[in-house]
Amino acid sequence: MSRVPTLEDLGDVSGKRVLVRTDFNVPMEGADDARIITDDFRIRAALPTIEWLTSRGAHVVCASHLGRPKGAPVAKYSMAPIRARLAELAPGVELLENLRFNAGEEANSPEFVASLVKNIDMYVNDAFGAAHRAHASIVGPPQTLPSAAGRLLQREVEVLGGLREKPKRPFIAVLGGAKVSDKLGVIESLLQVVDSLVIGGGMCFTFLAAQGYPVGASICELDQIATCKKLLDSGKSIHLPEDLVGLDANGNFATFGLRLPEGAKGLDIGPGTAAAFSDVIMDARTVFWNGPMGMFEDERFAAGTRTVAEAVAATKAFTIVGGGDSAAALAQFKLDDEVDHVSTGGGASLELLELGDLPGLAALRGAPNVR
Ligand code: ADP
Ligand code: MG
């Protein structure tokens, strides 16, 4: 894989209009026409790249998506509150309206790409969380403009790319969360890279079902059971829960073994499992964690995720956490400073680990300044 260009590869940026694809998909709350940003971390995270450009005399035009407006303007997903915050943090920097207000963004339409690059001299992608999607703002501008990865994207490529090349072993991946079928897809390739997989969260129920355990009313993807059987039979090391916590058929908190009664829902790994997973994490030398072990937003089901987070914080291994909710869980437990790298992309980090490349990176490598 040839090198992904960085800001230095842009040459002289003075007097240039630079389009910066940022990930300003920030958490917000409040009425649709008076949204309030609840955490501006993603805006602040873009400042090193923005300031590198502005301090060298460039005029920066940022562009981002926000939520899933489905190709038409909706007040709830207006960039106005983000534009106001950006004006405080980086005066003089422009921010375009939500990219996904135009259907051409997700469809990667040439007309939308043309409108994005109009009156623009250079392009920087700093939106790792969107770099696995072949959307207009990700793959379009580098076709014609000198382009580079911003600092956030550059660091993601260094850390996650490095994991594929020469990880310290044992290298383990801890997977959980709710996007079961998305993540099951990458497990097969992840198994080629890691020494063992640790599986909790909603995903574990499809594996438990594949082993013949009744999973009650837990999330389970019936059409993926065969895939899970195949993975379990592959002889690779896969750690699954040995006990579970959740709600019984009457909605009361309950502890279970691996057989869930009818109507019962598994919502967290049990204490025995959490301790066993923590041992595996402490013995590893590289740990990649994506996806909470349970429905941690509810304090009753946060213990498994907390124990795993504490082990990830305490282990001597090189630790990488990917995924919005996993990062939120770490922050909730005040452990986010204890990991080596918190990735800004969930799907993107898994896909980069799996494939070693992303559409957004390939586009940058093909830009006219590096071709
Ligand atoms: P990430 O954003 O870290 O990639 P996901 O978006 O895949 O993670 O999943 C996060 C969500 O998964 C959380 O909202 C959590 O409540 C939910 N979750 C985890 N385990 C379970 C479970 N057993 N049943 C239902 N939801 C779960
Ligand atoms: Mg998520």
Side-chain angles (χ1 to χ4, degrees), residues 63-250:
S64 175
H65 71 282
L66 175 65
R68 295 178 182 273
K70 304 204 174 85
V74 271
K76 183 178 179 184
Y77 295 124
S78 156
M79 296 306 269
I82 299 173
R83 191 173 296 119
R85 183 70 185 123
L86 183 65
E88 294 168 357
L89 294 167
V93 170
E94 284 181 53
L95 174 60
L96 301 183
E97 192 40 281
N98 192 338
L99 290 164
R100 291 188 186 164
F101 280 3
N102 191 308
E105 165 66 355
E106 295 191 53
N108 187 19
S109 85
E111 294 76 24
F112 190 56
V113 172
S115 74
L116 285 175
V117 302
K118 194 169 174 225
N119 298 324
I120 293 288
D121 304 305
M122 295 175 164
Y123 169 76
V124 170
N125 185 349
D126 216 13
F128 178 63
H132 61 313
R133 302 200 168 105
H135 292 173
S137 67
I138 300 292
V139 297
Q143 292 170 359
T144 52
L145 298 178
S147 301
R151 291 298 188 238
L152 288 173
L153 182 59
Q154 180 185 348
R155 168 99 176 123
E156 297 281 3
V157 172
E158 284 164 7
V159 172
L160 294 160
L163 273 194
R164 271 180 62 89
E165 278 153 32
K166 41 180 178 355
K168 292 200 163 134
R169 297 189 180 277
F171 173 16
I172 66 156
V174 182
L175 299 181
K179 295 174 192 161
V180 180
S181 42
D182 281 16
K183 297 184 184 183
L184 276 175
V186 310
I187 288 186
E188 204 160 352
S189 347
L190 266 184
L191 269 174
Q192 314 298 318
V193 189
V194 300
D195 297 296
S196 66
L197 272 181
V198 175
I199 295 182
M203 181 183 307
C204 74
F205 298 100
T206 309
F207 280 89
L208 294 174
Q211 290 184 322
Y213 293 108
V215 297
S218 312
I219 8 179
C220 177
E221 307 239 341
L222 296 176
D223 57 344
Q224 298 288 338
I225 289 180
T227 312
C228 290
K229 272 202 181 108
K230 201 178 81 190
L231 293 168
L232 289 166
D233 290 341
S234 68
K236 300 272 185 168
S237 163
I238 300 181
H239 301 271
L240 286 170
E242 54 200 56
D243 58 353
L244 297 160
V245 162
L247 296 174
D248 65 19
N250 300 317

Side-chain angles (χ1 to χ4, degrees), residues 177-179 183 201-202 205 219 266-267 290-292 294-295 297 323-326:
K179 295 174 192 161
K183 297 184 184 183
F205 298 100
I219 8 179
L267 293 168
N290 174 284
M295 219 178 76
E297 299 91 340
D325 293 285
S326 320

